[in-house]
Amino acid sequence: MTFLIRQIALKASGEEIVRATTVEGDTITIGRDASCDIHLPDLAVDPRHARAVMKDGELFVESIADQPFEVNGRSVNRRAIDLSRGAELTFGGHRINVERGEGGVPVFTVRRVEAISDVSEEKDLGSVYTLKGLMPGKRMSAWGFAILVLLACLAWPIGAYVTHKGEKERGSGYHGDEIWSSGDLTLAHEKLKDDCQACHVDAFVAVRDNACMTCHEDDAHAHIAGLAANDATARLVAARGEPGPFGQFQRAVAEGFNRPAGRCVECHIEHTGAGAMEATPQKFCTDCHDGMSKRLPDTKLPDASDFGTGHPEFHPALVVEPGNKPVFQRVALTKNTREDSGLKFTHAEHMSKAGGVAQMVRRRPGEYDGRDAMQCADCHTLDSTKVRFEPVKMEESCQSCHALGLEMVDGTTRTLRHGKPELVAADLRAFYRSGNPPRPASLSGMSRRSPGDGASQRTARDFARAVQFFPARADGAVTRVFSKGGACYDCHVVTRDGPAVTNGFDIVPAVQNDRYFEKGWFTHDAHSKYECTDCHVEATRSNDAGRVMIPGLGGEGGCRTCHVGGTGASLAKVNHPVESDCAMCHDYHADDGPPWMAKPKRTVAGADRPKSLRQVSLR
């Protein structure tokens, strides 16, 4: 059996809207419950008020919970309906006309005819059972929330700023201008969390570089050396090139809101969370350095886009003039690049498994653990930071083989003093002055001699002459120690501009280069799982004392053997690719610390390290 239900609603203009549905079965339910076939949203109607049953071709309507309803104006609990004549059912404020439709289908036409509450006008069914009548209207709510937002997000923060202006410590508690904060300060600036005006000096003005320099005067510098701050900023902006139409629009909007380009905070992003400050993304670097030679034709910097695919060869700072004030110069690293350290030391000779050094190692198994040759660790020791190596000292690494013994005194070896040419010469001269030539046996009273006094007199005269000129042999000893084959000559560069005490000889002070990459960062600790010769491949085969042992960008043992850059990991074919963006090796403000980590203040020894007198300008 099929029932046809027609729900009629009225538009504001009075036009009817009819929604017809069909229900299959012999029974339909009527009530306030939404699950009823005829849903009547009226509190005067029970959730399940009545049901209509079609039985033997006749329609019966009966109450489910003994709650009456009206049929043609009369209150009943059950009534049979003649479909040929029809009937009008009343449930609360709704009327249902029942009649026979086409094909004998019972048709229920539902219409709301009375107000649901005690108000005379009809109400929207969707809002009858809500709190809409107790709340302000949409317009009033919109104005109210707009005023609340202005007070909470503008007036309150401005008031907090004005109230505490000039105060370094505002005390604990929540302050209104914290609403504008985009996040917590990083660990580097954590102590400034209660002193917003240390950086945000003026209201509605973006952080300027002079605010940064208030604290970072000692550890920060202009990105472009040799230029004033304004000129450096203008050149940085020019290095990026002219943006496209949308980029120009963005720049105009930023400048309109007091956010000029080229400021410190464009790379050093703050309020990113209570952790370490995030490393600068590679894009910030390549925006300027990729193709910069076309935008700045006068630049001396080569273009750099990615370490794995577009990076210039290294230019380490090498010693070009050793001495007490050595001169360092940045030189392109090639196979023929040499460094003048003032030493004649060769690595291959000392690490060879054949020759005199290897034989000495084998004769001293206790010291060298029974090895066939020397190893790098025999002389080179990592410092406490495991970043670089301690300077090689003669007394600890060399003297066990290259002894400077002069004489043996009661079982103790008297040695020449290393590193002091004047004292070496003085010790030799004192040694020859302190003694006499061996006394001839003929002058002894117990010895046999030729008859007569003539032989004794001749012997006495010769001995007296030897005693007088014996100290002069010191000059020969001094000359020999500084000449070819001497103790000093074999390892050091000897010159002829020394003082008289050394017979005019002098030694060029040796210089050990402790940092080759002044503009980059490298740590040995991160490479501890590799052998030294994996990178320093020339150490086992170079007999050139001036050969630079540090690896280059590519080639055998080069950095690209593992480091493939920030975007080149998919292009490079290496066994263990290491993603390496700019921030891994480069720091905006380079010093002795690693990039983007807490850096100890530069020590006096590091600060006094002689700088290059002929270093190429990087501007």
Side-chain angles (χ1 to χ4, degrees), residues 131-200:
L131 298 177
K132 180 179 179 181
L134 302 177
M135 298 294 292
K138 293 181 179 180
R139 186 179 300 275
M140 183 177 295
S141 298
W143 280 106
F145 279 115
I147 294 173
L148 180 62
V149 168
L150 289 175
L151 290 175
C153 301
L154 185 62
W156 186 23
I158 293 177
Y161 169 80
V162 174
T163 303
H164 299 282
K165 187 174 182 179
E167 297 179 8
K168 290 186 176 296
E169 295 293 337
R170 301 189 298 176
S172 59
Y174 189 84
H175 300 276
D177 50 3
E178 293 182 32
I179 296 176
W180 293 346
S181 175
S182 58
D184 293 330
L185 289 173
T186 58
L187 295 177
H189 298 128
E190 183 182 15
K191 294 182 179 180
L192 298 176
K193 63 181 181 180
D194 294 327
D195 187 13
C196 301
Q197 295 177 39
C199 301
H200 303 277

Side-chain angles (χ1 to χ4, degrees), residues 302-303 311-316 330-334 517 551-555 560:
D303 293 338
H311 192 283
E313 184 54 83
F314 298 141
H315 284 65
R330 293 187 64 187
V331 181
L333 189 61
T334 65
F517 300 126
L553 190 65
R560 280 181 177 164

